[in-house]
Amino acid sequence: MSENRPAAVIILAAGEGTRMKSKTPKVLHPIGGRTLVGHAIHAARGTDPAHLAVVVRHQREVVAPHVSEVDAEALIADQDEVKGTGRAVECGLEVLPPDLTGTVLVTYGDVPLLTTQTLRALTAAHEEAGNAVTVITSILDDPHGYGRVVRDQDGQVLKIVEQKDAIAARESGGADAGALDIKEINSGIYAFDAQVLRDSLTQVGTDNAQGEKYLTDVLGLARAAGRPVRAHVVDDRWQSEGVNDRVQLSNLGRILNERTVERWQREGVTIVDPATTWIDSDVTIGQDTVIRPGTQLLGATTIGEGAVVGPDTTLTSVQVGDGASVVRTQAELAVIGPEATVGPFSYLRPGTELGAKGKIGGFVETKNAVIEDGAKVPHLTYAGDATIKEGANIGAGTIFANYDGVNKHHTTIGRHSFVGSNSVLVAPVNVADGAYIGAGSAVTNDVEPGQIAVSRARQRNIDGWVERKRAGTSTAAAAEAAGAQQTDAPQTDAPGTDAPGTDAPASGQDQPAPRHTASEPEGGQA
Ligand code: UD1
Ligand code: CA
């Protein structure tokens, strides 16, 4: 490729983009996870140019930093008050070496589907034919709005006539009126000989319907000077399609997505429903992975081989290991290990790291949580600011209470430890390796290896309560039929025993034996 390495690429991004009706500059609107200008820079950088310049003006204060963020090497060129694509390129040339020779490519910041491949083909065609200018053109059924490509009898490009000038010519009986019937349009993407470009631009004026300095005039000037100017016809019209409004933005976003989906299908990824699958440009997916309907793979997401993702899953910059299963999940900036399972209905917030064969199950939310190999958080849990070590099991309904209203604190659950269901771990707290938490505990103190921590009231069973307090109900009848213990004499019940579920002791009664003792705290889930 280096034999057709361009000397420079100039990307024009100074225009206003009024039809977007947006506070955000047009070229900063995204499709496929990159801004429009991000796509343009990406395609241009792929040609490995010696220099890459982006011409800015409108909302420069946001566009220029974004350009630098996308590509730190990109040169920023500021366009002045003089309007037009020709002036924009002139300003671009000002940040390049004054004695630059070779091929200069010009593209637009709002043409996101143009590929590196097309720019390379343009450069090769331009250099092999020894052209002064080569312009990418397309044949459109409806060429309305575009500059029309006027060719001579040899097929070379004679000049480009802007739509507005052709209309003005028709009204004044000028020669360029005929250009309105031409279906071959100027895409606005060109390869120029650097010298020809520099020299011609000094001769370009603003005597046209828009009072602008037209880049297209360079083609006519080069031809008039006897230099070869040719067209490079690209059949794929989407490659040169620009975004002017939000309808075009979504149309180009859809086409880009179709192309991305097809690219991964051809790489060996099963995508069940392309129409409901959205894959950003920077995502990577391994072979034999299955993407089920309703899935969005966004940002810098990477998915290994043989994984299953979806249905109805949104992953933003998530790393998914080989053979993992991620079902009905929302995740961002998380790592899911090989053969791990996530979902359904899981919410993985930034800093979640699930180890190999680990599990995050239904209605579980995690944040800044490292869940090591083989550890399981299967049901109805919030795990925030947690380390859950290898093989540990977190029972259903466990809450890692990480926030005291002022600060966030960390909880550690040791290797192969077991947290009983419906426990709350009040951070900071450290449960050692090989420890247990009894179900329903509120854990505020550290637990040592081999210990069980239980912090709930013991169960008391009060004989005859149903007979006394719920006489005549179907429950009382069922109790009697089941051989409930009868109480001979009416007892005085302490306040609080009217309602089930209260803890107050019943006076005059022996403390009933707890059904479960601290030696059998089961209540976690597998
Ligand atoms: C231009 C071409 C036209 C072509 C069409 C393809 C000229 C004179 N006309 O027309 O032949 O068919 O593109 O889309 O070149 N820009 C600047 N500075 C400016 C003006 C524009 O940076 O002063 C940038 C814009 O941000 C945009 C690009 O150049 O990215 C094209 O500008 P636009 O105004 O859309 O050009 P058109 O009039 O559509
Ligand atoms: Ca345009």
Side-chain angles (χ1 to χ4, degrees), residues 37 89 101 155 167 194-195 239 287 339 395 410 438:
V37 74
V89 169
T101 57
I167 290 169
Q195 191 72 51
Q239 288 229 16
Q287 226 177 19
E339 292 175 61
H410 197 87

Side-chain angles (χ1 to χ4, degrees), residues 141-369:
D141 290 339
D142 177 14
H144 185 87
Y146 288 97
R148 310 298 211 283
V149 178
V150 183
R151 296 198 188 222
D152 66 14
Q153 55 273 40
D154 302 329
Q156 277 206 37
V157 176
L158 201 57
K159 61 178 171 179
I160 289 170
V161 178
E162 293 303 296
Q163 160 105 9
K164 282 182 182 153
D165 295 293
I167 290 169
R170 189 179 56 192
E171 280 156 13
S172 66
D176 286 342
L180 285 171
D181 299 327
I182 296 172
K183 304 256 186 227
E184 184 175 17
I185 61 99
N186 169 25
S187 70
I189 298 149
Y190 320 78
F192 293 96
D193 175 79
Q195 191 72 51
V196 171
L197 181 61
R198 254 194 319 264
D199 293 350
S200 306
L201 277 171
T202 61
Q203 302 169 52
V204 174
T206 57
D207 181 19
N208 52 53
Q210 300 183 84
E212 293 183 0
K213 202 160 178 175
Y214 288 169
L215 179 60
T216 45
D217 284 357
V218 169
L219 283 74
L221 286 163
R223 261 320 284 288
R227 307 297 306 272
V229 177
R230 293 193 175 87
H232 180 73
V233 183
V234 169
D235 292 333
D236 174 13
R237 58 174 275 257
W238 292 108
Q239 288 229 16
S240 54
E241 184 96 349
V243 172
N244 294 304
D245 60 28
R246 298 195 202 224
V247 174
Q248 286 170 312
L249 185 73
S250 70
N251 282 339
L252 284 173
R254 179 174 46 80
I255 301 295
L256 175 64
N257 188 59
E258 282 173 17
R259 292 177 176 197
T260 306
V261 164
E262 186 174 329
R263 173 158 61 88
W264 289 113
Q265 287 175 319
R266 298 208 183 279
E267 291 289 329
V269 176
T270 295
I271 293 169
V272 177
D273 184 19
T276 62
T277 303
W278 290 84
I279 304 175
D280 277 356
S281 298
D282 291 331
V283 169
T284 65
I285 314 173
Q287 226 177 19
D288 286 321
T289 281
V290 177
I291 309 296
R292 292 183 179 149
T295 294
Q296 295 165 285
L297 305 177
L298 309 177
T301 293
T302 63
I303 302 195
E305 296 184 357
V308 176
V309 179
D312 302 328
T313 291
T314 302
L315 306 182
T316 306
S317 298
V318 173
Q319 190 184 320
V320 178
D322 294 345
S325 160
V326 185
V327 176
R328 288 188 208 280
T329 290
Q330 171 106 19
E332 184 175 356
L333 287 167
V335 178
I336 296 168
E339 292 175 61
T341 62
V342 177
F345 307 109
S346 307
Y347 179 28
L348 278 57
R349 292 164 52 199
T352 298
E353 287 179 32
L354 178 62
K357 297 188 178 172
K359 181 181 179 70
I360 294 176
F363 304 102
V364 171
E365 175 178 336
T366 59
K367 184 219 73 174
N368 190 25

Side-chain angles (χ1 to χ4, degrees), residues 76-96:
I76 306 288
D78 287 291
Q79 189 175 350
D80 55 19
E81 305 294 324
V82 182
K83 284 191 170 164
T85 49
R87 183 61 188 165
V89 169
E90 228 170 12
C91 295
L93 286 170
E94 271 166 31
V95 301
L96 302 178

